[in-house]
Amino acid sequence: MNEIMRKLPIGIQTFEDIRRDNYLYVDKTAFVWQLANQGKPYFLARPRRFGKSLLLSTFEAYFKGQKDLFKGLAIDRMETDWRVYPVFHLDLNAEKYDSPDRLLQILDSHLNMWEDKYGKDIRDETISTRFSGIIRRASEATGMRVVVLVDEYDKPLLQALGNNELLEEYRKTLKAFYGVLKSADRYLRFVFLTGVTKFSQVSVFSDLNQLNDISMNRSFAEICGITRQELEANFQPEIKVFGQNNNQTPGEVLDIMEANYDGYHFHPNSPGIFNPFSVLSAFFNRELGSYWFQTGTPTFLVEMLQKTNYDLRLLLDGIEAPASSFTEYRVDSNNPIPLIYQSGYLTIKEYDSRFTNYFLAFPNEEVKYGFINFLIPFYTSVTNNDQNFYIGKFVSELEHGDVDAFLTRLQAFFADFPYELNTKTERHYQVVFYLVFKLMGQYTGAEVRSARGRADAVVKTPKYIYVFEFKLGDTAEEALKQIDEKGYLIPYQSDGREVVKVGVEFSAEERNIARWLCE
């Protein structure tokens, strides 16, 4: 096919480039006007690759009075008095922060650039006094108050996690720098900071406590990302071409895009938000892929899970939590959930208003299976290259009714653990079972539970339904007996497929599967 493709702004974060070079743009300018005209100091947390940089670039163009860029957009009908303000745009995203001097160098570079334009006072010696002086001089020179935009304010802090000495250096530097935005308030027209993480107990914003955090504000839940309504309204040609290339109707395309890339909720009552990077990439490549997940690996998060001995089964099934336990991250906490949530690997799925509890879970298929696949090498000796082989064989054997081959392969899977893994706790092996069955779930109707009262795992294939019960320190016979006594088969008896119950005996001494029985 030789369809003419529209220009999709994959990786383009500059509003002016998108508009001048005729890239497709999903109009978010009504939010820009509303925020710019309703308040002054804002903070927004969103996962990486979610459009934060483009949003700040849009604010920059608006406050620089670049009216021509907004022709035909919502803000063109809303703004009647275009003015030009001095804008200081600080981008901390694309740098490596590995020493105290590195952050100072980045800040110094920006300050030098602004001082070249608005002058320098030799009495201003520190980073914070220089910044304060620049803001005052810019306002006095132009007769307009100043706009400050900070992109990825937390990037140095995130890179320093695990290095307490470096983290403290960055905290002190940024605390003084951002604190200027409070003392210079009378010279400021607008302030907007973005980041991935809302840090607590590190006092970065202690001197900037007037920030309006809109990260979970219902009115601005859609300010970044793409809603299904926006997808249908703006991407009809791409939906059509994607469907033609994958033998799918437009409705099927929307459904499969929703399953793989939708599901983010930044307020319990907001619509689902599609990951914009994955959506644009899928349309460009005309096929599904783990586009967002592959742009950054959650190595630090997985290491944190292991360090805190967090029960992965809770994470994989979704967890209940009050907002206070996941919206801010405490450096001294053993709770990895805030960083996992704020990084985009979990999102709000449900909200219990009576008890003010949230239910957090993976937002979509891309994140769910990308995260689980990434976990496997950390908990087993299986590499990323090998795991698809294992999972494919597991699925094939159960689809063909060969339980013995499946469990023999699972036995070999455990036997291949290196010695250091063999010293792990019982929970470690339970987690590995969990990961295997969860990964099979993308190809079969596999369900695996951690709660008592239900079978440990259920796998549905076109011909069979398998009900598994695993026993540590007990026999395979006892496992089968429990399946019967607890009525685990009842939900599947009218299904029409052959139901197979499997009792598996796990040996603590051998640290492996010892026996199994099937009926």
Side-chain angles (χ1 to χ4, degrees):
M1 297 183 181
N2 295 313
E3 308 93 342
I4 298 176
M5 296 180 65
R6 295 192 295 177
K7 297 173 71 173
L8 302 177
I10 301 171
I12 299 176
Q13 305 173 59
T14 304
F15 179 72
E16 182 173 0
D17 289 348
I18 288 175
R19 297 296 288 166
R20 293 204 189 285
D21 295 338
N22 199 31
Y23 284 92
L24 182 63
Y25 175 69
V26 177
D27 191 356
K28 302 289 185 177
T29 60
F31 294 116
V32 170
W33 188 90
Q34 187 177 355
L35 286 170
N37 290 278
Q38 285 189 346
K40 181 187 293 187
Y42 295 102
F43 171 74
L44 176 71
R46 285 292 184 269
R48 59 184 168 79
R49 297 282 188 170
F50 240 86
K52 299 189 297 297
S53 297
L54 175 58
L55 177 65
L56 286 193
S57 178
T58 309
F59 274 114
E60 182 175 11
Y62 170 69
F63 281 113
K64 285 184 174 180
Q66 295 177 285
K67 181 179 178 180
D68 60 312
L69 297 180
F70 295 90
K71 185 177 181 179
L73 300 178
I75 205 170
D76 191 31
R77 302 185 295 272
M78 303 169 78
E79 184 57 76
T80 59
D81 184 22
W82 290 86
R83 297 187 181 188
V84 179
Y85 297 87
V87 178
F88 297 151
H89 189 167
L90 174 63
D91 184 358
L92 296 178
N93 186 45
E95 298 294 340
K96 184 175 183 180
Y97 300 95
D98 52 7
S99 69
D101 290 342
R102 188 59 184 144
L103 174 58
L104 292 173
Q105 289 169 2
I106 299 302
L107 296 177
D108 183 63
S109 174
H110 281 81
L111 292 172
N112 284 333
M113 178 176 60
W114 299 331
E115 285 169 339
D116 286 344
K117 186 171 184 179
Y118 295 108
K120 181 177 181 178
D121 190 329
I122 59 174
R123 293 170 296 182
D124 295 337
E125 297 180 350
T126 67
I127 292 291
S128 56
T129 56
R130 290 172 63 194
F131 189 32
S132 179
I134 292 168
I135 291 174
R136 175 179 53 80
R137 288 192 298 275
S139 180
E140 292 172 347
T142 62
M144 305 295 288
R145 288 180 294 167
V146 172
V147 172
V148 176
L149 307 172
V150 182
D151 195 8
E152 305 289 4
Y153 90 95
D154 55 344
K155 190 63 173 288
L157 301 172
L158 287 171
Q159 290 192 6
L161 286 177
N163 184 338
N164 292 335
E165 183 177 348
L166 185 59
L167 183 67
E168 177 61 16
E169 287 292 328
Y170 287 164
R171 184 197 69 80
K172 290 190 295 185
T173 299
L174 293 176
K175 177 179 182 292
F177 188 81
Y178 296 139
V180 168
L181 299 175
K182 183 173 183 178
S183 60
D185 182 70
R186 60 179 171 164
Y187 299 110
L188 295 171
R189 164 66 176 84
F190 186 78
V191 174
F192 201 112
L193 288 81
T194 72
V196 169
T197 308
K198 179 70 178 294
F199 277 92
S200 175
Q201 305 299 321
V202 292
S203 303
V204 172
F205 292 150
S206 62
D207 293 338
L208 188 59
N209 51 17
Q210 82 275 30
L211 274 180
N212 184 0
D213 184 358
I214 61 171
S215 304
M216 291 183 66
N217 185 304
R218 171 64 185 91
S219 298
F220 302 104
E222 303 163 33
I223 195 169
C224 291
I226 301 170
T227 65
R228 178 161 178 144
Q229 182 179 0
E230 289 171 332
L231 192 68
E232 293 185 71
N234 291 275
F235 293 92
Q236 282 300 319
E238 287 73 25
I239 291 170
K240 179 181 178 182
V241 171
F242 189 97
Q244 291 172 344
N245 279 266
N246 294 277
N247 298 314
Q248 294 167 336
T249 66
E252 289 171 335
V253 172
L254 287 169
D255 288 343
I256 196 168
M257 296 287 278
E258 184 172 15
N260 281 273
Y261 306 130
D262 190 13
Y264 287 92
H265 294 270
F266 301 108
H267 184 275
N269 296 321
S270 69
I273 304 294
F274 286 75
N275 184 313
F277 184 80
S278 288
V279 167
L280 295 173
S281 298
F283 281 142
F284 180 81
N285 292 293
R286 305 179 187 182
E287 62 183 8
L288 299 178
S290 296
Y291 301 108
W292 176 81
F293 195 91
Q294 291 172 357
T295 62
T297 56
T299 303
F300 178 78
L301 298 178
V302 176
E303 290 173 347
M304 183 182 293
L305 285 168
Q306 291 184 309
K307 181 180 178 181
T308 58
N309 199 28
Y310 190 86
D311 190 345
L312 265 183
R313 294 170 297 172
L314 301 177
L315 177 66
L316 299 182
D317 278 342
I319 62 170
E320 290 188 3
S324 59
S325 71
F326 67 86
T327 55
E328 295 187 341
Y329 174 65
R330 293 173 55 105
V331 174
D332 58 352
S333 172
N334 285 326
N335 178 17
I337 297 304
L339 270 184
I340 295 174
Y341 164 78
Q342 293 164 10
S343 299
Y345 298 100
L346 293 176
T347 194
I348 298 169
K349 288 297 186 180
E350 297 175 12
Y351 177 63
D352 185 335
S353 59
R354 181 184 179 191
F355 299 106
T356 63
N357 273 341
Y358 294 80
F359 180 73
L360 308 178
F362 293 119
N364 51 48
E365 301 275 288
E366 177 191 15
V367 176
K368 177 181 179 180
Y369 292 115
F371 197 84
I372 296 174
N373 270 294
F374 190 78
L375 287 171
I376 286 286
F378 289 86
Y379 287 84
T380 75
S381 61
V382 177
T383 67
N384 284 319
N385 293 329
D386 294 334
Q387 59 188 276
N388 287 336
F389 169 79
Y390 271 100
I391 299 303
K393 291 295 184 181
F394 286 149
V395 170
S396 177
E397 285 155 357
L398 290 186
E399 286 179 342
H400 288 87
D402 197 343
V403 180
D404 288 339
F406 168 79
L407 288 167
T408 299
R409 188 177 301 278
L410 192 59
Q411 199 174 41
F413 187 83
F414 277 98
D416 198 32
F417 280 16
Y419 174 77
E420 57 268 24
L421 284 178
N422 285 335
T423 64
K424 297 291 183 180
T425 63
E426 173 187 340
R427 178 188 292 176
H428 181 88
Y429 289 89
Q430 293 170 335
V431 164
V432 173
F433 277 122
Y434 225 63
L435 291 173
V436 168
F437 281 96
K438 284 291 185 183
L439 280 177
M440 289 172 57
Q442 59 191 312
Y443 308 108
T444 70
E447 299 174 354
V448 54
R449 308 287 186 184
S450 59
R452 293 288 68 185
R454 290 176 288 183
D456 285 331
V458 175
V459 180
K460 300 174 184 178
T461 69
K463 293 182 180 180
Y464 305 97
I465 296 178
Y466 298 92
V467 178
F468 289 87
E469 184 66 25
F470 296 94
K471 287 292 185 183
L472 177 66
D474 216 332
T475 65
E477 287 82 1
E478 287 295 322
L480 291 179
K481 182 179 178 182
Q482 181 170 322
I483 292 174
D484 292 333
E485 291 181 347
K486 297 289 186 179
Y488 294 160
L489 300 184
I490 294 174
Y492 314 107
Q493 287 176 341
S494 61
D495 184 275
R497 283 172 282 187
E498 182 179 343
V499 180
V500 181
K501 56 183 181 181
V502 186
V504 182
E505 180 180 324
F506 192 87
S507 168
E509 292 76 19
E510 298 177 14
R511 300 185 183 274
N512 206 327
I513 295 171
R515 301 174 57 238
W516 60 84
L517 294 172
C518 304
E519 291 183 1

